[in-house]
């Protein structure tokens, strides 16, 4: 195979984040799942938007955030995701291209509108996300650029997008294309509730050796393996996934690969402003290190630095130039 054009091509939700600070009392009043992510319908999305204070709109989506971080690190990236032919769809497309990421998926001309995530940020920096998936859940298989998938070192898939049927079929096809081309497949579990719904699918992909790099946080690891003990969860997966990355928030992260284990502490942060995107940017740093042939420990360190940057401000995409932050001192 020729040298790939892209380091990573990702498939994920094409979402615009709408973020606003709030007090804990509003979280309780609205009956929100504090610190979690809840899918909402059109009516609930309108109710929550009306209850928000002054908000800031920033393009988001888990896999797209990861690519934004990778692009800031100098990686070559492409994104596949569905927007509608509307104002937020234009915002998303502009933002991702402006970050230096190739994005060629055609906008959908009919309803529903482009996806949006309504994010309430409490004073401790915790984010409570309420996601209206809109057009993003109608990504068809024929929207895939199979040549681009073959032309990337790694195909990166977002667990959130496994929920709706149409993009789930598209991702299964993308896995087949990538594996036939000898490329690696990376997968992020995204959230425990996604594993609750589709854990059998995820475990089958793992057992069938379809996933080369798996990202989970501590809670997702427990849900996926049924092991409440962190080390037992790692043991359950370490021989099934070539590269396993498990994040533990302020307690750092662990990676296992080929009998090797590496750990890293969380990077110090003066103030945690907003934890939105911490996992996405950790994946950005780690994947960039991985495709460059860095060690497990160095890749984890890059992930921790990127995560620390994104939680120091509002929004799930980096504001600093990450390539400068991760450069060896």
């Amino acid at each position: 195979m020729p040298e790939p054009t892209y380091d990573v091509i990702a498939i994920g939700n094409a979402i615009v984040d709408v973020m606003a600070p709030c007090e804990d009392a509003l979280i309780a009043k609205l009956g929100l799942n504090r610190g979690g992510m809840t899918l909402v319908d059109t009516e609930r999305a309108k109710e929550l938007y009306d209850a928000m204070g002054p908000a800031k709109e920033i393009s988001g989506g888990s896999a797209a955030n990861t690519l934004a971080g990778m692009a800031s690190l100098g990686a070559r990236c492409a994104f596949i995701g569905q927007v509608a032919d509307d104002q937020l769809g234009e915002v998303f497309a502009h933002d991702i291209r402006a970050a230096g990421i190739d994005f060629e998926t055609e906008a959908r001309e009919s309803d529903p509108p482009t996806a949006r995530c309504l994010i309430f940020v409490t004073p401790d920096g915790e984010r409570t996300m309420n996601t209206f998936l809109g057009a993003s859940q109608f990504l068809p298989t024929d929207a895939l650029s199979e040549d681009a998938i073959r032309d990337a070192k790694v195909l990166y898939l977002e667990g959130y997008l496994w929920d709706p049927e149409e993009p789930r079929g598209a991702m299964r096809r993308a896995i087949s294309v990538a594996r036939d081309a000898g490329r690696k497949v990376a997968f992020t579990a995204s959230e425990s509730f996604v594993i609750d719904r589709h854990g059998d699918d995820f475990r089958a992909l793992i057992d069938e050796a379809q996933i080369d790099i798996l990202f989970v946080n501590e809670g997702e690891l427990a849900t996926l393996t049924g092991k409440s003990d962190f080390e037992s969860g790692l043991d359950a997966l370490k021989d099934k996934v070539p590269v396993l990355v498990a994040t533990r928030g302020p307690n750092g992260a662990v990676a296992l690969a080929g009998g090797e284990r590496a750990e890293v502490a969380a990077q110090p942060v003066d103030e945690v402003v907003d934890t939105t995107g911490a996992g996405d940017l950790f994946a950005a740093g780690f994947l960039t290190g991985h495709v460059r042939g860095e060690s497990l420990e160095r890749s984890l360190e890059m992930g921790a630095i990127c995560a620390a940057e994104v939680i120091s401000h509002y929004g799930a995409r980096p504001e600093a130039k990450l390539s400068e932050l991760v450069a060896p001192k």
Side-chain angles (χ1 to χ4, degrees):
M1 293 291 292
E3 179 66 19
T5 299
Y6 301 114
D7 293 308
V8 172
I9 187 168
I11 303 176
N13 282 309
I15 295 178
V16 176
D17 291 339
V18 182
M19 308 180 62
C22 76
E23 298 299 323
D24 284 294
L26 183 60
I27 300 291
K29 179 181 178 182
L30 294 172
L32 303 179
N33 175 25
R34 190 184 192 283
M37 200 287 284
T38 304
L39 296 177
V40 298
D41 58 18
T42 305
E43 183 178 347
R44 178 64 165 163
K46 183 179 185 305
E47 175 191 358
L48 296 181
Y49 183 74
D50 289 344
M52 295 181 99
K56 184 177 182 180
E57 294 179 351
I58 309 170
S59 291
S62 176
N65 292 338
T66 295
L67 293 190
M70 295 191 71
S72 182
L73 291 164
R76 303 161 300 167
C77 304
F79 180 73
I80 298 171
Q82 188 68 64
V83 297
D85 185 12
D86 56 19
Q87 182 179 3
L88 287 184
E90 291 177 2
V91 169
F92 181 90
H94 170 270
D95 287 353
I96 199 162
R97 289 169 182 153
I101 299 162
D102 285 353
F103 175 59
E104 302 299 334
T105 311
E106 291 188 11
R108 195 170 189 268
E109 295 184 358
S110 58
D111 285 335
T114 296
R116 69 284 316 267
C117 183
L118 306 173
I119 304 174
F120 294 77
V121 185
T122 42
D124 62 353
E126 188 63 83
R127 80 281 186 270
T128 297
M129 301 185 294
N130 303 271
T131 303
F132 170 63
L133 290 172
S136 67
Q137 61 188 323
F138 294 98
L139 177 73
T141 299
D142 61 13
L144 298 178
S145 173
E146 295 191 1
D147 285 343
I149 292 170
R150 296 184 188 99
D151 202 19
K153 293 179 182 177
V154 177
L155 168 67
Y156 181 62
L157 302 175
E158 174 186 326
Y160 283 132
L161 199 57
W162 200 265
D163 202 51
E165 181 178 356
E166 198 165 11
R168 184 165 65 247
M171 287 194 288
R172 286 191 182 278
R173 173 58 186 165
I175 291 172
S176 177
V177 171
R179 299 210 70 83
D180 286 348
R183 306 309 189 191
K184 292 183 178 180
V185 176
F187 190 89
T188 175
S190 294
E191 190 87 28
S192 287
F193 88 86
V194 179
I195 301 171
D196 286 336
R197 292 169 62 89
H198 301 288
D200 287 346
D201 278 357
F202 297 166
R203 285 183 281 269
L205 289 172
I206 291 169
D207 289 343
E208 294 164 6
Q210 299 297 301
I211 296 175
D212 301 290
I213 307 165
L214 177 65
F215 292 93
V216 290
N217 64 27
E218 193 167 8
E220 293 156 8
L221 179 66
T223 304
L224 186 62
T225 63
K227 309 287 187 182
S228 58
D229 176 70
F230 181 71
E231 292 297 331
S232 297
L234 294 178
D235 286 342
L237 291 179
K238 67 180 183 181
D239 295 326
K240 296 182 177 182
V241 181
V243 181
L244 173 62
V245 182
T247 58
R248 309 186 77 180
N251 295 317
V254 176
L256 302 173
E260 179 186 355
R261 177 179 176 131
E263 300 187 38
V264 67
Q267 290 284 312
V269 178
D270 290 337
E271 180 185 7
V272 177
V273 175
D274 170 25
T275 58
T276 309
D280 302 336
L281 268 293
F282 191 98
F286 184 91
L287 276 176
T288 302
H290 180 77
V291 298
R292 291 177 178 171
E294 299 282 0
S295 67
L296 271 187
E297 184 175 1
R298 173 60 176 157
S299 297
L300 285 175
E301 180 186 33
M302 292 173 65
I305 292 170
C306 294
E309 190 281 338
V310 83
I311 66 175
S312 68
H313 57 76
Y314 283 116
R317 295 192 178 180
E319 294 183 351
K321 191 169 183 179
L322 296 181
S323 58
E324 296 178 357
L325 293 183
V326 303
K329 300 295 189 279

